[in-house]
């Protein structure tokens, strides 16, 4: 069967790179990117779509004969705390639009990105397991754990093939993050290259789980490609990449940029980070669909510097 794919939130940090990867795998003519606003660069089929607009979503599914939906649109953790009710409302209503359209219109597979934000104060901090307390302490985390349970519900009640991973903080060079608590791990590279210094909003010893974009995208594609009968987790799979603190990241960046200096001015995001695990046990992902991360702190930093440095040099020349 020829797959036709629709992505919501395609202009975001993950959506941008996921769209490119899906176009490489399935062909330009089989991937429709959607978001609230047009993209800055247009490379394939695109439609403006508010993911909470059921009617517009259904029209696009029908028009393009969509078979798979990757639902990336959401308000993330730090931004979400500025308006918790809107965050819950948008994250849930957009997911329901997708689930109901998928259920009633014969969509074969749905991807729902969850997050390590589902874990709260009572989850063990290290090697946090698949099945532990999910007492999320942010509106964002609460919406993600609810979404996971709805994914399971639609799978068990209607047989809808919804698949999901709990992404750690994603580090990418192609696109900027959109309001998460782990955004510092991307911003630090841009500041290091432009100004040789960075004022970090987390304390220096705040260890969080992170993942490099190549691993995050590969995990998504591998999970979506796995045989359905191998998948034991129908809420969302724990997924691990690497774990580090701002201090450890800064030290690694200094190996590439010796003049780099970092300061620490913790703000409200520290409280969110303090609730989250430091490292994740992704045993089920490894066993069920062969997941294995490739990027650790050292090769992630090399990759980020190698990608961003030429752009920085180009900007200074202009
Ligand atoms: N980036 C991370 O570190 C991370 C970690 C864990 C989970 N996730 C999840 O992955 C998904 C993608 O994250 P991201 O980092 O790309 O987020 P992002 O904030 O960079 O992008 C989200 C996109 O959704 C769009 N959007 C917002 N409201 C919309 C609406 N009503 N209709 C259509 N589009 C709308 C925005 O315009 C934006 O382009 C999200 O569901 C997020 O919760 C991300």
């Amino acid at each position: 069967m020829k797959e036709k794919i629709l992505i919501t939130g395609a202009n975001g940090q993950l959506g941008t790179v996921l769209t490119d990867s899906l176009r490489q795998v399935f062909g330009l003519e089989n991937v429709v990117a959607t978001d609230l606003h047009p993209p800055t660069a247009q490379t394939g089929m695109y439609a403006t779509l508010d993911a909470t607009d059921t009617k517009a979503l259904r029209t696009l599914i029908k028009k393009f004969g969509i078979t798979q939906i990757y639902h990336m649109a959401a308000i993330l953790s730090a931004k979400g705390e500025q308006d918790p009710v809107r965050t819950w409302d948008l994250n849930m209503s957009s997911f329901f639009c997708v689930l109901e359209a998928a259920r009633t219109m014969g969509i074969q597979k749905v991807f729902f990105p969850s997050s390590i934000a589902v874990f709260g104060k009572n989850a063990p901090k290290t090697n946090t397991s698949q099945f532990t307390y999910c007492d999320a302490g942010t509106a964002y985390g609460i919406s993600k754990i609810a979404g996971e349970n709805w994914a399971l519900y639609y799978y068990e009640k209607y047989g809808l093939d919804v698949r999901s991973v709990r992404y750690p903080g994603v580090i990418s060079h192609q696109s900027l993050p959109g309001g998460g608590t782990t955004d510092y791990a991307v911003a630090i590279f841009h500041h290091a290259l432009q100004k040789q210094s960075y004022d970090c909003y987390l304390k220096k010893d705040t260890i969080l789980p992170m993942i490099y974009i190549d691993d995050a995208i590969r995990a998504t594609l591998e999970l979506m490609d796995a045989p359905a009968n191998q998948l034991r987790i129908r809420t969302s799979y724990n997924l691990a990449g690497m774990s580090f603190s701002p201090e450890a990241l800064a030290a690694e960046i200094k190996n590439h940029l010796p003049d780099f200096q970092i300061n620490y001015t913790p703000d409200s995001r520290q409280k969110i980070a303090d609730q989250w695990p430091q490292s994740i046990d992704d045993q089920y992902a490894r066993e069920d669909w062969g997941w294995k991360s490739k990027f650790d702190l050292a090769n992630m930093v090399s990759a980020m510097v190698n990608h961003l440095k030429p752009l920085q040099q180009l900007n200074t020349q202009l």
Side-chain angles (χ1 to χ4, degrees), residues 200-202 265-271:
C200 184
Y201 57 78
L202 294 182
T265 315
D267 68 13
S268 58
R269 287 168 279 192
Q270 183 67 47
K271 207 173 146 210

Side-chain angles (χ1 to χ4, degrees), residues 189 192-193 252-260 305 309:
F189 287 97
L193 285 160
E252 195 59 46
I253 292 175
K254 256 177 169 302
N255 290 335
H256 297 260
L257 307 166
D259 294 336
F260 176 59
V305 172
K309 207 170 185 176

Side-chain angles (χ1 to χ4, degrees), residues 12-14 35 49-51 72 74 76 113-114 140 144 167-168 170:
Q13 185 196 7
L14 270 158
D35 203 295
L49 173 73
D50 178 343
M72 308 309 281
L76 275 70
S114 188
Y140 170 72
K144 288 295 182 188
Y167 289 123
V170 178

Side-chain angles (χ1 to χ4, degrees), residues 8-16 34-37 49-52 71-77 79 86 90-91 94 111-117 140 144 165-171 176-180 182-183:
T8 70
N11 296 350
Q13 185 196 7
L14 270 158
T16 311
T34 73
D35 203 295
L36 281 178
H37 310 289
L49 173 73
D50 178 343
T52 62
H71 176 49
M72 308 309 281
I75 298 177
L76 275 70
S77 58
K79 206 169 161 198
R86 182 163 172 265
L90 185 132
N91 291 0
S94 63
F111 178 75
F112 169 67
S114 188
S115 162
I116 55 144
Y140 170 72
K144 288 295 182 188
V165 291
R166 292 169 175 162
Y167 289 123
V170 178
I171 301 164
L176 290 169
T182 54
D183 289 7

